[in-house]
Amino acid sequence: MNAQTISKTSDLNPGQRSLVTISALTAKGDLENLNTQLHIALDEGLTVNETKEVLVQLYAYCGFPRSLNAINTFMGVLEERKLKGIIDKQGPATTNRSDTADKYEQGRKVLEQLTGTPQAKPAPGFGEFAPRVDAFLKEHLFGDIFESDVLTYQQRELVTISALAAMPGVEPQLQAHIKMGINTGITNGQLVEVANMIAKLVSKTQANVLYKLINKPELPLIAADMMVRISEIEVLPDFLEEYKSILKEESAVSVKIEPGVIALFAMYQKENPVQVRIVEIYANKEAYQSHLKTTHFQHYKTTTMKMVKSLKLVDMTDVDTQTMQGIFKKIN
């Protein structure tokens, strides 16, 4: 295990950040951003075989569908780079550190190294209740995947922690792997940086699960200067369908590409469709000001100006902040 441990630092190096990013986005199923980040990871020196190994390992934590989608995305990235004449470093091929025939025993010993505690055969509880799961866990995950030497134990734990931190409902497993990661040399400072990255890549809600487990203050889900506004718009009847089409496109693009635009929820009255209402929520005033300067908003504003009969902007605030926080926790 000493050979697996890299020097302890207070934060993550570029290679480790790439592992965190790829793992979190794969677990989230965000293939668009994963595509971008795979290019960055390769540019920063992650090898093709290291990346493959990350995506293979992740099937054990976030399932075959997300793993296979990520692998297909990676294949597309490599093909695109090949067409551009970019030659990426392949890196060493996967081999197993141990050639023992008893995969269960091999996996049990790996798990003992990772946890620093004896591992009973079968595992108490779930292993006695469902022996096949215990066998798969020991023989395949730890006896086969973790024993392949393309990635170190520490790198594998960083991958696992990042994926679990990006997924809701797996707090016990995340807690267990945080302990294993620390045993491989992952520092508290590095875990904090992982949480910071999860907040940006996935959500503050998911990041707070990790912050809580490492005894760090959780992030507020609602900024003090968050903006909530209702736009009351009356559209000229002759332009109604054209207006709705332009508004639909603008709101979709804004929410998709602007991190500070939390919601642009457009509606119209059933009995009077020309009466349009938009619930606008911005992370803070700076996000709102930035939104006003975007190309897509400027296009919306200039093209619909002749279509709008009246416009009233109503700034709102919450009656019950605690309940508001609960709503954002559910959707963040």
Side-chain angles (χ1 to χ4, degrees):
M1 287 297 292
N2 288 337
Q4 300 275 345
T5 305
I6 65 170
S7 60
K8 294 184 178 182
T9 59
S10 60
D11 52 15
L12 302 169
N13 63 41
Q16 292 169 325
R17 290 180 65 86
S18 292
L19 296 179
V20 173
T21 302
I22 292 170
S23 303
L25 292 175
T26 297
K28 183 184 178 184
D30 185 350
L31 300 180
E32 183 175 347
N33 283 317
L34 177 63
N35 184 295
T36 300
Q37 293 300 324
L38 285 168
H39 280 284
I40 294 173
L42 292 169
D43 289 340
E44 291 186 341
L46 202 66
T47 70
V48 172
N49 284 333
E50 285 172 336
T51 308
K52 284 183 187 178
E53 196 64 25
V54 170
L55 301 180
V56 168
Q57 178 182 325
L58 287 172
Y59 102 81
Y61 294 99
C62 56
F64 271 120
R66 293 201 188 280
S67 174
L68 291 174
N69 287 344
I71 288 171
N72 284 328
T73 299
F74 186 43
M75 291 169 61
V77 166
L78 292 177
E79 182 62 26
E80 181 183 343
R81 293 169 70 86
K82 182 179 178 181
L83 291 174
K84 292 180 179 179
I86 301 173
I87 301 175
D88 292 302
K89 185 178 179 182
Q90 290 294 310
T94 300
T95 59
N96 271 24
R97 298 184 184 91
S98 175
D99 59 358
T100 178
D102 191 343
K103 287 286 187 181
Y104 184 97
E105 183 61 19
Q106 179 175 311
R108 191 183 66 81
K109 289 181 178 178
V110 170
L111 196 53
E112 283 187 339
Q113 288 182 292
L114 292 170
T115 61
T117 59
Q119 298 295 309
K121 180 181 180 179
F126 76 86
E128 297 167 327
F129 180 73
R132 280 169 57 79
V133 170
D134 185 47
F136 294 155
L137 186 75
K138 301 293 197 315
E139 294 176 10
H140 183 49
L141 178 57
F142 292 108
D144 192 358
I145 293 179
F146 264 68
E147 270 295 83
S148 60
D149 59 3
V150 171
L151 299 176
T152 67
Y153 291 159
Q154 185 185 95
Q155 288 173 315
R156 291 191 182 280
E157 284 303 327
L158 197 58
V159 166
T160 303
I161 290 168
S162 304
L164 293 177
M167 300 163 57
V170 292
E171 188 171 326
Q173 290 76 22
L174 176 58
Q175 186 172 32
H177 279 280
I178 287 171
K179 293 178 181 178
M180 295 184 209
I182 290 172
N183 287 341
T184 67
I186 295 175
T187 67
N188 194 60
Q190 290 171 330
L191 290 171
V192 169
E193 189 165 350
V194 172
N196 294 342
M197 293 177 68
I198 294 297
K200 295 178 180 179
L201 295 167
V202 184
S203 72
K204 291 181 181 179
T205 299
Q206 283 306 121
N208 281 342
V209 175
L210 182 51
Y211 284 126
K212 180 180 177 181
L213 291 176
I214 60 177
N215 298 314
K216 295 296 180 182
E218 297 180 29
L219 298 174
L221 299 181
I222 301 177
D225 60 344
M226 184 183 74
M227 285 186 61
V228 180
R229 168 177 286 172
I230 296 178
S231 295
E232 299 179 350
I233 304 166
E234 183 178 354
V235 182
L236 294 168
D238 290 345
F239 293 105
L240 180 58
E241 293 306 316
E242 185 180 359
Y243 174 83
K244 287 195 297 185
S245 176
I246 296 170
L247 173 59
K248 180 180 177 180
E249 181 179 355
E250 190 274 337
S251 58
V253 171
S254 298
V255 172
K256 182 177 181 179
I257 71 173
E258 294 185 67
V261 178
I262 298 172
L264 286 178
F265 186 36
M267 303 165 283
Y268 60 87
Q269 295 180 13
K270 286 185 176 181
E271 296 181 356
N272 190 8
V274 297
Q275 293 293 331
V276 175
R277 302 292 183 266
I278 308 173
V279 178
E280 305 179 31
I281 306 177
Y282 304 95
N284 47 47
K285 292 179 180 178
E286 182 182 357
Y288 172 67
Q289 293 299 328
S290 175
H291 170 68
L292 296 181
K293 298 175 184 176
T294 60
T295 303
H296 48 271
F297 175 78
Q298 289 296 322
H299 172 74
Y300 159 79
K301 190 68 176 177
T302 55
T303 55
T304 62
M305 192 173 295
K306 66 180 181 180
M307 306 176 187
V308 174
K309 181 178 180 179
S310 65
L311 167 65
K312 183 179 180 181
L313 303 177
V314 184
D315 288 327
M316 309 294 290
T317 189
D318 59 278
V319 174
D320 182 353
T321 301
Q322 201 65 34
T323 298
M324 176 69 84
Q325 290 176 342
I327 294 170
F328 278 90
K329 188 172 183 180
K330 291 180 74 174
I331 66 174
N332 196 357

